[in-house]
Every structure is written in structure tokens, then in C-alpha cells.
Amino acid sequence: MKACLLHRPGPVESKPLAFVEVPDPEPQDDQVLLRVSACGVCRTDLHVVEGELPPRLSPVIPGHQVVGEVIQLGVKARRLAMGARVGVPWLHRTCGACEYCRSGRENLCDQATFTGYVVHGGYAEYMVAPEAFVYPIPPSFPDLQAAPLLCAGIIGFRSLRLSGIQPGGALGFYGFGNAAHVAIQVARHWDVRVYACTRDAAHQRLALELGAAWAGGTDAEPPVKLDSAIIFAPAGELVPVALRALKKGGALVLAGIHMSPTPPLEYSLLYHERVIRSVANNTRQDGEDFLRLAAEIPIRTEIEVYPLPEANRALIALKHDAVRGGAAVLDCRVVRR
Ligand SMILES: [Zn+2]
Ligand SMILES: [Zn+2]
């Protein structure tokens, strides 16, 4: 099959992904083989490709927002039928036995593997995944539009949950790309007012189109104090900025897997029982709950489609805030340049 392979991390501008022929994967035991139709491009992919996340598998095929069709079942796979349309998220597999798995917190599993990082992902024509960790895609979403739901959507949803935001509350978003453009639709559905702080004017416009009460730059102060805030951008310097905008007792959620160092914190910013909390991965429950809600709302994803061989170009656009719409998605059925 054809796939985008990362041999050595490097700046995306140097085009570290090679579009090459690799052996077709084969499903083991409880795995299914998927013919990939679409794979969303996530900021975490950028951290993998540029090496901010240390390599766990090399070479590796990135991509963890995968939509595909089941075309072969492993010998022990019984849950899914041939032809089922499923999504593969970042959380690839957990051990099921550690203290985190046994307490409903499999997102923190000691032995977790991650798609497109610890195992091969979806920047490819085919991939394998454990059938217990893939989700049926609601029929109302076409393949390309469904892809961003699988990480941007699920992680955004978990971030909203951890923010503790209540109906009628005021919620700040710092950064407005992939995850935020989906999360705002859930927040609006819950009758939450969203204040979007983002450096890019096009993203400010998108936030307003999607129902934000206000949009401004990352340094601009929202017109009201916030009950909670979520930082989607990988920029540690935003932590004191967001804390300053919070009410007493407010929660600040850090949604990214990687962040630049945070500057020293004035304790007064944290005092009055403000909390800072990170988001790590997702549970299967998050994924199932979110996809059900996404179909019910229904969520509309704004995508820009790139052919699979152009993955480097999609990552460059993501890095430079140049993705039109909310999310870049690879069309994995297009394998000619
Ligand atoms: Zn575990
Ligand atoms: Zn992701």
C-alpha cells in the first residue's frame, strides 16, 4: 500500500514525510483491517512529525482521526461486521488491568498505545486497529467530514467536560482551530456563551460565525469574567493570560498534549480557588458519548481536503494557521500526486 512514512522528525517545511510503498498491514487476533478513506490532520501529528513528542516507533505512519471501512476481521474479532464504517481515535489500546483502567480512567492507562505514534496510523491506504477501540460512525456524517470528530471532537468534548462549565456560563477559548471549532458547537448546544481569543483574524471570524459571543486577539481581555477557559493553542504564555480572565473558583483546562513552558505564575492569579487541569487522551466512553451528541446536534465540521500524498503541505498549513475552515483532512483514496 501507499503511506506517508516518518523516518526522522524534522521541521515540516523540510517535508519529513515520505510518500512510499510499504507492506500491507494484516489484522491480528482482535484487530480489524480498514480501508482508510479519510484521516484528519491534528496538531499532535505536527508534534510527532517535528519531534516535540519523542519517537516511540520509527519509522511511523502518523494520523489518528481515521475513517475507514472494515475489510478483514482478525480471527478473534466478533463485534464488527465486514463493511462497517468505523473511526479510529488517538487512544489505540489500553491494558484493561492497571489501576486507571479498573477505575474508569483508561485515558491514563500505564500501558496505553496511541494511534499514529506508538503504532501506525491513518496517513495510509490501509491500517489495523483493535475492534474494541474503534467507533461506528453515525451515518449522517460523510467520511471526510467525520474525520475531525475523532480527535478534535472527542478531545474538545473531554475538555468541555473537565472545564465544569454549566448552561448559561461564560467560557473562554484560547486558540480557535481544529478542536475549538467543534467544541463551540457543543457549548452553544448546552447554552454556554463562548469568548474566543485567537491570533488569526480568519479564525476570529469563524468563531463569530459559529456563535461566539465575542472574538478577539489572544492578549485582548474578554468583555466579561469567565467561569472556565480552555487553552487549545500549544502556548504556555497563555496560561497567566487565561487565569487573569477567570472568575474566582474558575477552571482553566489545557487541552494539548504538548505546550511551550509556562512563565512563572503570580500566586494571586491562582488564588481564590482557581484550578488548572490538563486533558490527557480520551476514554472510549468520551468517544461514544461525543459521537452520539455530534449526530444529535448535528455538528458541522469545516474542512479543507488534501490528497494523501500532500500530507506535508497540510501540516505546513496547520503550523502556520493557514488551514481554511477549521480542520485539514487527508483524502486517503487519492494516492496519485
Ligand atoms: Zn491500563
Ligand atoms: Zn489529535
Side-chain angles (χ1 to χ4, degrees), residues 22 142 242 247:
V22 297
K247 289 182 191 171

Side-chain angles (χ1 to χ4, degrees), residues 94-102 105-106 108-112:
T94 58
C95 76
C98 72
E99 64 171 295
Y100 301 105
C101 284
R102 282 185 283 114
R105 297 179 294 163
E106 66 179 354
L108 302 177
C109 173
D110 286 329
Q111 311 292 331

